[in-house]
Amino acid sequence: MPTFQSLADEARLTFANLSGSVTDLAVPSVRLGVTGLARAGKTVFITALVHNLIHGGRLPVFQAAAGGRLTGARLQPQPDDAVPRFDYEAHVAALVNDRIWPDSTRQVSELRLTLEFESAQFLARRLGRGKIHLDLIDYPGEWLLDLPLLSKTYAEFSASALRRARAPNRKALADRYLSLLEGTEPSGPESEQDAQNLSAAFKSYLAACRSDAHALSMLPPGRFLMPGDLDGSPALTFAPLDIPADAPPSRTGTLRAMMERRFEAYKTHVIRPFFRDHFARLDRQIVLVDVLHALNAGPDAMSDLEEALGEVLTAFRPGRQNWLSSILTRRIDKILFAATKADHLHRDDHDRLEAILERLVARGIEHARFKGADVSVLAMAAVRATREASVRHKGEELPAILGTPLPGEAINGENYDGNCEIAVFPGDLPHDPDTLFSPAGELGIQDHGSGSAADPALRFLRFRPPKLDRTAEGLTLSLPHIRLDRALEFLIGDRLA
């Protein structure tokens, strides 16, 4: 049975959709959500997408551009005045001029790109050029992991969080938090100091889980690691307590009642506004996944990423759109899952990278397709930082990638300063993705260079953005990519047909 709060939210969403539909009568719009967990490349994706459309980049699979029907692309003021603007200009400068990767997504931001095109349909072409607004909504994937909390009680949240914290691959990371918990009596008197100590220890544990060495993904509540202007507020100062999942609400005045109250405040003041004002208004969605980062950390990280993506997918509102449903309630009718940093592998392994990602999101894909959404999986690099080459090693011709490692990256004890280009043998991903989810299968990667197959630096170095060539007139060429055009064609190609 829907709660009064959820009914009120749905009414507000319907009103917002009605208002948007009136505006769309003049120029239609598509709200594209761009998300992904930490280091997946959300900022880079949006920057590269806009840069290639504005500067006429090579997009052979994006039919509107390849056929010459895309006649213009320009930035416009965004429709939502209360949402921070995506700082496209600063991010382009970082990539093109400084050759550094832009800062990661820390909050919701928005950018409007207006596309002018000629329709592929004869009758529509006779009516003149078409125009569409592409509204890009950038938000942290960690916030998606909060949405399932809306349907959970504090006791259910505590039980699931403690189950994960006590798992063999997390227990050592959660040691300080679990030690504090042992000396805590949930039914004892409420204490601000106890709440702060437990919350700080729990947040430190989440931060340790997200570090490169472990690369774990199931880390709700998402705002604990990205507090923003709520840092230090009671709504972000709580932690799970050791109570049964079916425990009834506690009596007032206890520590547990204090935690329950703050958990509900988190849902009211953090999760619901995000869902109502941003997430529930999306038309299409791309989910970027840094599979290679999880591969470096091993099977535990891969299994954890699978669980996180499963939670993310339960938060979506997929469905087939028609003119009536789009007026009353928006549904996400296209979802693209993209494995990023495909340029860190030779192209012969891209199909295997896609197969691994499809294995990770298999449950969610089935659910979304059942609801009527169109779902696809893709290996891509929004900005290609490497080139491919063949190198002879001990009489054998090996596929290699050439690139400039970021300052501080190292192979076999040799550190790089960010100026030297090197050749790397990335190795081969396994044919069977299931081997990556079992410790017995190790990582299934064959090392063609010196060093062990478990050496993550040898397999997946981090590279600097590429140095762009300039035309005779001094104009910088568009950012190179791998399959960014395929992503565009899937996500918006039908709207420019």
Side-chain angles (χ1 to χ4, degrees), residues 146 149 157 192 195 199 203 221-224 227 229-239 258-271:
D146 281 349
L149 298 180
F157 157 71
E192 182 63 39
S199 182
K203 291 168 184 173
R223 283 290 187 96
F224 276 23
D229 58 359
L230 291 174
D231 192 16
S233 68
L236 266 65
T237 309
F238 65 91
M258 183 185 195
M259 296 291 197
E260 287 175 344
R261 186 175 66 250
R262 294 182 174 188
F263 175 74
E264 292 300 324
Y266 184 85
K267 290 161 63 173
T268 299
H269 299 295
V270 176
I271 306 178

PDB file of all heavy atoms in Angstrom, residues 146 149 157 192 195 199 203 221-224 227 229-239 258-271:
ATOM      1  N   ASP A 146      21.205   4.040  -2.678  1.00  0.00           N
ATOM      2  CA  ASP A 146      20.354   4.469  -1.574  1.00  0.00           C
ATOM      3  C   ASP A 146      18.877   4.214  -1.845  1.00  0.00           C
ATOM      4  O   ASP A 146      18.087   4.095  -0.894  1.00  0.00           O
ATOM      5  CB  ASP A 146      20.543   5.969  -1.309  1.00  0.00           C
ATOM      6  CG  ASP A 146      21.805   6.261  -0.521  1.00  0.00           C
ATOM      7  OD1 ASP A 146      22.419   5.309  -0.013  1.00  0.00           O
ATOM      8  OD2 ASP A 146      22.181   7.445  -0.439  1.00  0.00           O
ATOM      9  N   LEU A 149      16.842   1.678  -0.037  1.00  0.00           N
ATOM     10  CA  LEU A 149      16.633   1.935   1.391  1.00  0.00           C
ATOM     11  C   LEU A 149      15.249   2.519   1.672  1.00  0.00           C
ATOM     12  O   LEU A 149      14.757   2.433   2.801  1.00  0.00           O
ATOM     13  CB  LEU A 149      17.703   2.891   1.931  1.00  0.00           C
ATOM     14  CG  LEU A 149      19.161   2.414   1.866  1.00  0.00           C
ATOM     15  CD1 LEU A 149      20.082   3.478   2.453  1.00  0.00           C
ATOM     16  CD2 LEU A 149      19.338   1.091   2.592  1.00  0.00           C
ATOM     17  N   PHE A 157      17.919  -2.457   7.335  1.00  0.00           N
ATOM     18  CA  PHE A 157      19.170  -1.848   6.880  1.00  0.00           C
ATOM     19  C   PHE A 157      20.333  -2.304   7.761  1.00  0.00           C
ATOM     20  O   PHE A 157      21.405  -2.678   7.255  1.00  0.00           O
ATOM     21  CB  PHE A 157      19.046  -0.326   6.899  1.00  0.00           C
ATOM     22  CG  PHE A 157      20.356   0.403   6.997  1.00  0.00           C
ATOM     23  CD1 PHE A 157      21.239   0.418   5.920  1.00  0.00           C
ATOM     24  CD2 PHE A 157      20.719   1.070   8.167  1.00  0.00           C
ATOM     25  CE1 PHE A 157      22.457   1.089   6.015  1.00  0.00           C
ATOM     26  CE2 PHE A 157      21.925   1.734   8.268  1.00  0.00           C
ATOM     27  CZ  PHE A 157      22.798   1.745   7.190  1.00  0.00           C
ATOM     28  N   GLU A 192      24.780  11.438  21.909  1.00  0.00           N
ATOM     29  CA  GLU A 192      25.325  12.057  20.710  1.00  0.00           C
ATOM     30  C   GLU A 192      26.759  11.615  20.472  1.00  0.00           C
ATOM     31  O   GLU A 192      27.166  11.371  19.324  1.00  0.00           O
ATOM     32  CB  GLU A 192      25.261  13.583  20.835  1.00  0.00           C
ATOM     33  CG  GLU A 192      25.771  14.334  19.609  1.00  0.00           C
ATOM     34  CD  GLU A 192      24.942  14.060  18.372  1.00  0.00           C
ATOM     35  OE1 GLU A 192      23.700  13.968  18.481  1.00  0.00           O
ATOM     36  OE2 GLU A 192      25.536  13.919  17.276  1.00  0.00           O
ATOM     37  N   ALA A 195      26.762   8.126  18.992  1.00  0.00           N
ATOM     38  CA  ALA A 195      26.301   8.188  17.606  1.00  0.00           C
ATOM     39  C   ALA A 195      27.417   8.682  16.691  1.00  0.00           C
ATOM     40  O   ALA A 195      27.640   8.127  15.597  1.00  0.00           O
ATOM     41  CB  ALA A 195      25.075   9.091  17.492  1.00  0.00           C
ATOM     42  N   SER A 199      29.217   6.369  13.879  1.00  0.00           N
ATOM     43  CA  SER A 199      29.076   6.840  12.508  1.00  0.00           C
ATOM     44  C   SER A 199      30.435   7.071  11.856  1.00  0.00           C
ATOM     45  O   SER A 199      30.658   6.692  10.704  1.00  0.00           O
ATOM     46  CB  SER A 199      28.248   8.124  12.478  1.00  0.00           C
ATOM     47  OG  SER A 199      28.066   8.581  11.159  1.00  0.00           O
ATOM     48  N   LYS A 203      31.824   5.056   8.603  1.00  0.00           N
ATOM     49  CA  LYS A 203      32.232   5.753   7.380  1.00  0.00           C
ATOM     50  C   LYS A 203      33.675   5.419   7.007  1.00  0.00           C
ATOM     51  O   LYS A 203      33.996   5.272   5.813  1.00  0.00           O
ATOM     52  CB  LYS A 203      32.065   7.266   7.568  1.00  0.00           C
ATOM     53  CG  LYS A 203      30.612   7.718   7.657  1.00  0.00           C
ATOM     54  CD  LYS A 203      30.491   9.159   8.119  1.00  0.00           C
ATOM     55  CE  LYS A 203      29.038   9.558   8.302  1.00  0.00           C
ATOM     56  NZ  LYS A 203      28.885  10.902   8.916  1.00  0.00           N
ATOM     57  N   PRO A 221      25.006   3.827   3.115  1.00  0.00           N
ATOM     58  CA  PRO A 221      24.390   4.957   2.426  1.00  0.00           C
ATOM     59  C   PRO A 221      25.400   5.762   1.591  1.00  0.00           C
ATOM     60  O   PRO A 221      26.503   6.067   2.048  1.00  0.00           O
ATOM     61  CB  PRO A 221      23.841   5.821   3.563  1.00  0.00           C
ATOM     62  CG  PRO A 221      23.778   4.912   4.765  1.00  0.00           C
ATOM     63  CD  PRO A 221      24.930   3.969   4.574  1.00  0.00           C
ATOM     64  N   GLY A 222      24.985   6.118   0.361  1.00  0.00           N
ATOM     65  CA  GLY A 222      25.889   6.749  -0.576  1.00  0.00           C
ATOM     66  C   GLY A 222      26.407   8.100  -0.144  1.00  0.00           C
ATOM     67  O   GLY A 222      27.556   8.451  -0.421  1.00  0.00           O
ATOM     68  N   ARG A 223      25.601   8.884   0.572  1.00  0.00           N
ATOM     69  CA  ARG A 223      26.033  10.215   0.978  1.00  0.00           C
ATOM     70  C   ARG A 223      27.069  10.183   2.108  1.00  0.00           C
ATOM     71  O   ARG A 223      27.678  11.197   2.401  1.00  0.00           O
ATOM     72  CB  ARG A 223      24.837  11.054   1.425  1.00  0.00           C
ATOM     73  CG  ARG A 223      23.998  11.601   0.303  1.00  0.00           C
ATOM     74  CD  ARG A 223      24.734  12.700  -0.469  1.00  0.00           C
ATOM     75  NE  ARG A 223      23.853  13.321  -1.435  1.00  0.00           N
ATOM     76  CZ  ARG A 223      23.169  14.425  -1.238  1.00  0.00           C
ATOM     77  NH1 ARG A 223      23.289  15.054  -0.075  1.00  0.00           N
ATOM     78  NH2 ARG A 223      22.387  14.914  -2.170  1.00  0.00           N
ATOM     79  N   PHE A 224      27.265   9.022   2.742  1.00  0.00           N
ATOM     80  CA  PHE A 224      28.281   8.941   3.788  1.00  0.00           C
ATOM     81  C   PHE A 224      29.673   9.203   3.218  1.00  0.00           C
ATOM     82  O   PHE A 224      30.542   9.729   3.909  1.00  0.00           O
ATOM     83  CB  PHE A 224      28.239   7.574   4.463  1.00  0.00           C
ATOM     84  CG  PHE A 224      27.210   7.474   5.557  1.00  0.00           C
ATOM     85  CD1 PHE A 224      26.121   8.324   5.578  1.00  0.00           C
ATOM     86  CD2 PHE A 224      27.329   6.528   6.553  1.00  0.00           C
ATOM     87  CE1 PHE A 224      25.176   8.244   6.588  1.00  0.00           C
ATOM     88  CE2 PHE A 224      26.380   6.422   7.576  1.00  0.00           C
ATOM     89  CZ  PHE A 224      25.302   7.297   7.585  1.00  0.00           C
ATOM     90  N   PRO A 227      29.254  13.577   1.360  1.00  0.00           N
ATOM     91  CA  PRO A 227      28.273  14.279   2.197  1.00  0.00           C
ATOM     92  C   PRO A 227      27.838  15.633   1.662  1.00  0.00           C
ATOM     93  O   PRO A 227      26.707  16.064   1.886  1.00  0.00           O
ATOM     94  CB  PRO A 227      29.010  14.436   3.530  1.00  0.00           C
ATOM     95  CG  PRO A 227      30.454  14.392   3.176  1.00  0.00           C
ATOM     96  CD  PRO A 227      30.563  13.454   2.015  1.00  0.00           C
ATOM     97  N   ASP A 229      26.948  19.409   1.355  1.00  0.00           N
ATOM     98  CA  ASP A 229      26.571  20.416   2.349  1.00  0.00           C
ATOM     99  C   ASP A 229      25.866  19.826   3.563  1.00  0.00           C
ATOM    100  O   ASP A 229      25.535  20.550   4.504  1.00  0.00           O
ATOM    101  CB  ASP A 229      25.690  21.502   1.714  1.00  0.00           C
ATOM    102  CG  ASP A 229      24.429  20.937   1.089  1.00  0.00           C
ATOM    103  OD1 ASP A 229      24.243  19.702   1.119  1.00  0.00           O
ATOM    104  OD2 ASP A 229      23.632  21.732   0.553  1.00  0.00           O
ATOM    105  N   LEU A 230      25.640  18.488   3.555  1.00  0.00           N
ATOM    106  CA  LEU A 230      25.017  17.839   4.711  1.00  0.00           C
ATOM    107  C   LEU A 230      26.043  17.268   5.686  1.00  0.00           C
ATOM    108  O   LEU A 230      25.677  16.620   6.666  1.00  0.00           O
ATOM    109  CB  LEU A 230      24.080  16.718   4.238  1.00  0.00           C
ATOM    110  CG  LEU A 230      22.808  17.156   3.509  1.00  0.00           C
ATOM    111  CD1 LEU A 230      22.062  15.950   2.974  1.00  0.00           C
ATOM    112  CD2 LEU A 230      21.911  17.965   4.432  1.00  0.00           C
ATOM    113  N   ASP A 231      27.322  17.509   5.413  1.00  0.00           N
ATOM    114  CA  ASP A 231      28.373  16.971   6.262  1.00  0.00           C
ATOM    115  C   ASP A 231      28.190  17.447   7.704  1.00  0.00           C
ATOM    116  O   ASP A 231      28.052  18.645   7.974  1.00  0.00           O
ATOM    117  CB  ASP A 231      29.733  17.422   5.738  1.00  0.00           C
ATOM    118  CG  ASP A 231      30.881  16.675   6.390  1.00  0.00           C
ATOM    119  OD1 ASP A 231      30.632  15.620   7.000  1.00  0.00           O
ATOM    120  OD2 ASP A 231      32.023  17.159   6.295  1.00  0.00           O
ATOM    121  N   GLY A 232      28.169  16.491   8.639  1.00  0.00           N
ATOM    122  CA  GLY A 232      28.013  16.810  10.047  1.00  0.00           C
ATOM    123  C   GLY A 232      26.585  16.920  10.522  1.00  0.00           C
ATOM    124  O   GLY A 232      26.342  17.065  11.725  1.00  0.00           O
ATOM    125  N   SER A 233      25.620  16.816   9.626  1.00  0.00           N
ATOM    126  CA  SER A 233      24.217  16.912  10.032  1.00  0.00           C
ATOM    127  C   SER A 233      23.772  15.613  10.702  1.00  0.00           C
ATOM    128  O   SER A 233      24.325  14.537  10.431  1.00  0.00           O
ATOM    129  CB  SER A 233      23.334  17.191   8.817  1.00  0.00           C
ATOM    130  OG  SER A 233      23.322  16.068   7.949  1.00  0.00           O
ATOM    131  N   PRO A 234      22.765  15.670  11.589  1.00  0.00           N
ATOM    132  CA  PRO A 234      22.263  14.444  12.215  1.00  0.00           C
ATOM    133  C   PRO A 234      21.783  13.414  11.190  1.00  0.00           C
ATOM    134  O   PRO A 234      21.908  12.206  11.437  1.00  0.00           O
ATOM    135  CB  PRO A 234      21.100  14.952  13.077  1.00  0.00           C
ATOM    136  CG  PRO A 234      21.466  16.353  13.404  1.00  0.00           C
ATOM    137  CD  PRO A 234      22.157  16.878  12.177  1.00  0.00           C
ATOM    138  N   ALA A 235      21.271  13.873  10.050  1.00  0.00           N
ATOM    139  CA  ALA A 235      20.780  12.939   9.032  1.00  0.00           C
ATOM    140  C   ALA A 235      21.894  12.080   8.455  1.00  0.00           C
ATOM    141  O   ALA A 235      21.624  11.031   7.862  1.00  0.00           O
ATOM    142  CB  ALA A 235      20.079  13.701   7.901  1.00  0.00           C
ATOM    143  N   LEU A 236      23.155  12.506   8.633  1.00  0.00           N
ATOM    144  CA  LEU A 236      24.301  11.725   8.173  1.00  0.00           C
ATOM    145  C   LEU A 236      25.153  11.224   9.344  1.00  0.00           C
ATOM    146  O   LEU A 236      26.289  10.793   9.161  1.00  0.00           O
ATOM    147  CB  LEU A 236      25.184  12.552   7.234  1.00  0.00           C
ATOM    148  CG  LEU A 236      24.910  12.403   5.734  1.00  0.00           C
ATOM    149  CD1 LEU A 236      23.530  12.924   5.383  1.00  0.00           C
ATOM    150  CD2 LEU A 236      25.974  13.132   4.923  1.00  0.00           C
ATOM    151  N   THR A 237      24.585  11.270  10.547  1.00  0.00           N
ATOM    152  CA  THR A 237      25.318  10.824  11.731  1.00  0.00           C
ATOM    153  C   THR A 237      24.567   9.678  12.394  1.00  0.00           C
ATOM    154  O   THR A 237      23.926   9.827  13.437  1.00  0.00           O
ATOM    155  CB  THR A 237      25.520  11.984  12.723  1.00  0.00           C
ATOM    156  OG1 THR A 237      26.064  13.111  12.032  1.00  0.00           O
ATOM    157  CG2 THR A 237      26.480  11.597  13.839  1.00  0.00           C
ATOM    158  N   PHE A 238      24.585   8.541  11.742  1.00  0.00           N
ATOM    159  CA  PHE A 238      24.014   7.318  12.306  1.00  0.00           C
ATOM    160  C   PHE A 238      24.822   6.140  11.788  1.00  0.00           C
ATOM    161  O   PHE A 238      25.713   6.298  10.944  1.00  0.00           O
ATOM    162  CB  PHE A 238      22.522   7.174  11.945  1.00  0.00           C
ATOM    163  CG  PHE A 238      22.245   6.988  10.475  1.00  0.00           C
ATOM    164  CD1 PHE A 238      22.181   5.725   9.906  1.00  0.00           C
ATOM    165  CD2 PHE A 238      22.032   8.090   9.653  1.00  0.00           C
ATOM    166  CE1 PHE A 238      21.919   5.553   8.555  1.00  0.00           C
ATOM    167  CE2 PHE A 238      21.766   7.938   8.301  1.00  0.00           C
ATOM    168  CZ  PHE A 238      21.708   6.660   7.754  1.00  0.00           C
ATOM    169  N   ALA A 239      24.549   4.963  12.283  1.00  0.00           N
ATOM    170  CA  ALA A 239      25.249   3.752  11.883  1.00  0.00           C
ATOM    171  C   ALA A 239      24.364   2.557  12.194  1.00  0.00           C
ATOM    172  O   ALA A 239      23.462   2.635  13.038  1.00  0.00           O
ATOM    173  CB  ALA A 239      26.585   3.629  12.600  1.00  0.00           C
ATOM    174  N   MET A 258      17.232   6.775  18.503  1.00  0.00           N
ATOM    175  CA  MET A 258      17.953   7.918  17.929  1.00  0.00           C
ATOM    176  C   MET A 258      18.456   7.582  16.522  1.00  0.00           C
ATOM    177  O   MET A 258      18.316   8.380  15.584  1.00  0.00           O
ATOM    178  CB  MET A 258      19.129   8.265  18.850  1.00  0.00           C
ATOM    179  CG  MET A 258      19.935   9.472  18.437  1.00  0.00           C
ATOM    180  SD  MET A 258      21.361   9.649  19.550  1.00  0.00           S
ATOM    181  CE  MET A 258      21.869  11.317  19.189  1.00  0.00           C
ATOM    182  N   MET A 259      19.037   6.394  16.377  1.00  0.00           N
ATOM    183  CA  MET A 259      19.539   5.956  15.075  1.00  0.00           C
ATOM    184  C   MET A 259      18.392   5.774  14.080  1.00  0.00           C
ATOM    185  O   MET A 259      18.505   6.143  12.907  1.00  0.00           O
ATOM    186  CB  MET A 259      20.330   4.653  15.224  1.00  0.00           C
ATOM    187  CG  MET A 259      21.595   4.772  16.058  1.00  0.00           C
ATOM    188  SD  MET A 259      22.877   5.763  15.247  1.00  0.00           S
ATOM    189  CE  MET A 259      24.321   5.271  16.186  1.00  0.00           C
ATOM    190  N   GLU A 260      17.290   5.190  14.548  1.00  0.00           N
ATOM    191  CA  GLU A 260      16.131   5.002  13.671  1.00  0.00           C
ATOM    192  C   GLU A 260      15.602   6.337  13.166  1.00  0.00           C
ATOM    193  O   GLU A 260      15.257   6.480  11.980  1.00  0.00           O
ATOM    194  CB  GLU A 260      15.025   4.244  14.422  1.00  0.00           C
ATOM    195  CG  GLU A 260      15.320   2.770  14.629  1.00  0.00           C
ATOM    196  CD  GLU A 260      14.262   2.094  15.486  1.00  0.00           C
ATOM    197  OE1 GLU A 260      13.482   2.818  16.153  1.00  0.00           O
ATOM    198  OE2 GLU A 260      14.220   0.843  15.495  1.00  0.00           O
ATOM    199  N   ARG A 261      15.527   7.308  14.075  1.00  0.00           N
ATOM    200  CA  ARG A 261      15.022   8.631  13.698  1.00  0.00           C
ATOM    201  C   ARG A 261      15.921   9.276  12.643  1.00  0.00           C
ATOM    202  O   ARG A 261      15.431   9.868  11.671  1.00  0.00           O
ATOM    203  CB  ARG A 261      14.936   9.500  14.945  1.00  0.00           C
ATOM    204  CG  ARG A 261      14.288  10.858  14.702  1.00  0.00           C
ATOM    205  CD  ARG A 261      14.107  11.626  16.001  1.00  0.00           C
ATOM    206  NE  ARG A 261      15.380  12.004  16.611  1.00  0.00           N
ATOM    207  CZ  ARG A 261      15.861  11.475  17.724  1.00  0.00           C
ATOM    208  NH1 ARG A 261      15.184  10.530  18.369  1.00  0.00           N
ATOM    209  NH2 ARG A 261      17.018  11.877  18.219  1.00  0.00           N
ATOM    210  N   ARG A 262      17.209   9.144  12.792  1.00  0.00           N
ATOM    211  CA  ARG A 262      18.141   9.743  11.837  1.00  0.00           C
ATOM    212  C   ARG A 262      18.143   8.995  10.508  1.00  0.00           C
ATOM    213  O   ARG A 262      18.318   9.610   9.449  1.00  0.00           O
ATOM    214  CB  ARG A 262      19.549   9.796  12.446  1.00  0.00           C
ATOM    215  CG  ARG A 262      19.594  10.746  13.639  1.00  0.00           C
ATOM    216  CD  ARG A 262      20.971  10.883  14.247  1.00  0.00           C
ATOM    217  NE  ARG A 262      20.957  11.911  15.289  1.00  0.00           N
ATOM    218  CZ  ARG A 262      22.027  12.367  15.907  1.00  0.00           C
ATOM    219  NH1 ARG A 262      23.235  11.875  15.611  1.00  0.00           N
ATOM    220  NH2 ARG A 262      21.925  13.305  16.835  1.00  0.00           N
ATOM    221  N   PHE A 263      17.957   7.687  10.552  1.00  0.00           N
ATOM    222  CA  PHE A 263      17.835   6.908   9.324  1.00  0.00           C
ATOM    223  C   PHE A 263      16.612   7.368   8.529  1.00  0.00           C
ATOM    224  O   PHE A 263      16.683   7.547   7.298  1.00  0.00           O
ATOM    225  CB  PHE A 263      17.730   5.416   9.667  1.00  0.00           C
ATOM    226  CG  PHE A 263      17.474   4.525   8.485  1.00  0.00           C
ATOM    227  CD1 PHE A 263      18.477   4.249   7.571  1.00  0.00           C
ATOM    228  CD2 PHE A 263      16.219   3.951   8.291  1.00  0.00           C
ATOM    229  CE1 PHE A 263      18.238   3.415   6.477  1.00  0.00           C
ATOM    230  CE2 PHE A 263      15.973   3.118   7.215  1.00  0.00           C
ATOM    231  CZ  PHE A 263      16.981   2.847   6.302  1.00  0.00           C
ATOM    232  N   GLU A 264      15.492   7.580   9.211  1.00  0.00           N
ATOM    233  CA  GLU A 264      14.283   8.063   8.530  1.00  0.00           C
ATOM    234  C   GLU A 264      14.477   9.483   8.006  1.00  0.00           C
ATOM    235  O   GLU A 264      13.974   9.835   6.938  1.00  0.00           O
ATOM    236  CB  GLU A 264      13.082   8.005   9.479  1.00  0.00           C
ATOM    237  CG  GLU A 264      12.649   6.592   9.855  1.00  0.00           C
ATOM    238  CD  GLU A 264      12.251   5.772   8.638  1.00  0.00           C
ATOM    239  OE1 GLU A 264      11.651   6.353   7.698  1.00  0.00           O
ATOM    240  OE2 GLU A 264      12.529   4.557   8.623  1.00  0.00           O
ATOM    241  N   ALA A 265      15.239  10.305   8.751  1.00  0.00           N
ATOM    242  CA  ALA A 265      15.540  11.655   8.274  1.00  0.00           C
ATOM    243  C   ALA A 265      16.399  11.600   7.009  1.00  0.00           C
ATOM    244  O   ALA A 265      16.225  12.416   6.092  1.00  0.00           O
ATOM    245  CB  ALA A 265      16.262  12.446   9.362  1.00  0.00           C
ATOM    246  N   TYR A 266      17.316  10.640   6.946  1.00  0.00           N
ATOM    247  CA  TYR A 266      18.148  10.458   5.750  1.00  0.00           C
ATOM    248  C   TYR A 266      17.268  10.133   4.546  1.00  0.00           C
ATOM    249  O   TYR A 266      17.461  10.680   3.448  1.00  0.00           O
ATOM    250  CB  TYR A 266      19.160   9.341   5.995  1.00  0.00           C
ATOM    251  CG  TYR A 266      20.136   9.120   4.866  1.00  0.00           C
ATOM    252  CD1 TYR A 266      21.298   9.884   4.765  1.00  0.00           C
ATOM    253  CD2 TYR A 266      19.903   8.142   3.908  1.00  0.00           C
ATOM    254  CE1 TYR A 266      22.194   9.678   3.736  1.00  0.00           C
ATOM    255  CE2 TYR A 266      20.797   7.931   2.872  1.00  0.00           C
ATOM    256  CZ  TYR A 266      21.942   8.699   2.789  1.00  0.00           C
ATOM    257  OH  TYR A 266      22.834   8.496   1.769  1.00  0.00           O
ATOM    258  N   LYS A 267      16.304   9.256   4.739  1.00  0.00           N
ATOM    259  CA  LYS A 267      15.387   8.908   3.655  1.00  0.00           C
ATOM    260  C   LYS A 267      14.564  10.116   3.218  1.00  0.00           C
ATOM    261  O   LYS A 267      14.356  10.353   2.023  1.00  0.00           O
ATOM    262  CB  LYS A 267      14.471   7.761   4.096  1.00  0.00           C
ATOM    263  CG  LYS A 267      15.210   6.433   4.244  1.00  0.00           C
ATOM    264  CD  LYS A 267      14.448   5.439   5.102  1.00  0.00           C
ATOM    265  CE  LYS A 267      13.127   5.037   4.510  1.00  0.00           C
ATOM    266  NZ  LYS A 267      12.495   3.946   5.295  1.00  0.00           N
ATOM    267  N   THR A 268      14.103  10.907   4.197  1.00  0.00           N
ATOM    268  CA  THR A 268      13.220  12.035   3.898  1.00  0.00           C
ATOM    269  C   THR A 268      13.956  13.191   3.241  1.00  0.00           C
ATOM    270  O   THR A 268      13.458  13.773   2.266  1.00  0.00           O
ATOM    271  CB  THR A 268      12.542  12.532   5.188  1.00  0.00           C
ATOM    272  OG1 THR A 268      11.756  11.475   5.741  1.00  0.00           O
ATOM    273  CG2 THR A 268      11.661  13.742   4.915  1.00  0.00           C
ATOM    274  N   HIS A 269      15.140  13.520   3.749  1.00  0.00           N
ATOM    275  CA  HIS A 269      15.828  14.737   3.314  1.00  0.00           C
ATOM    276  C   HIS A 269      16.920  14.499   2.273  1.00  0.00           C
ATOM    277  O   HIS A 269      17.400  15.468   1.674  1.00  0.00           O
ATOM    278  CB  HIS A 269      16.436  15.447   4.524  1.00  0.00           C
ATOM    279  CG  HIS A 269      15.423  15.879   5.537  1.00  0.00           C
ATOM    280  ND1 HIS A 269      14.468  16.831   5.277  1.00  0.00           N
ATOM    281  CD2 HIS A 269      15.197  15.452   6.815  1.00  0.00           C
ATOM    282  CE1 HIS A 269      13.698  16.997   6.344  1.00  0.00           C
ATOM    283  NE2 HIS A 269      14.122  16.176   7.292  1.00  0.00           N
ATOM    284  N   VAL A 270      17.307  13.242   2.068  1.00  0.00           N
ATOM    285  CA  VAL A 270      18.366  12.948   1.101  1.00  0.00           C
ATOM    286  C   VAL A 270      17.858  12.089  -0.054  1.00  0.00           C
ATOM    287  O   VAL A 270      17.988  12.464  -1.230  1.00  0.00           O
ATOM    288  CB  VAL A 270      19.554  12.248   1.800  1.00  0.00           C
ATOM    289  CG1 VAL A 270      20.618  11.855   0.776  1.00  0.00           C
ATOM    290  CG2 VAL A 270      20.160  13.162   2.853  1.00  0.00           C
ATOM    291  N   ILE A 271      17.276  10.932   0.262  1.00  0.00           N
ATOM    292  CA  ILE A 271      16.938   9.987  -0.799  1.00  0.00           C
ATOM    293  C   ILE A 271      15.703  10.433  -1.589  1.00  0.00           C
ATOM    294  O   ILE A 271      15.723  10.442  -2.831  1.00  0.00           O
ATOM    295  CB  ILE A 271      16.709   8.571  -0.227  1.00  0.00           C
ATOM    296  CG1 ILE A 271      17.925   8.129   0.600  1.00  0.00           C
ATOM    297  CG2 ILE A 271      16.476   7.586  -1.358  1.00  0.00           C
ATOM    298  CD1 ILE A 271      17.761   6.759   1.243  1.00  0.00           C
TER     299      ILE A 271
END
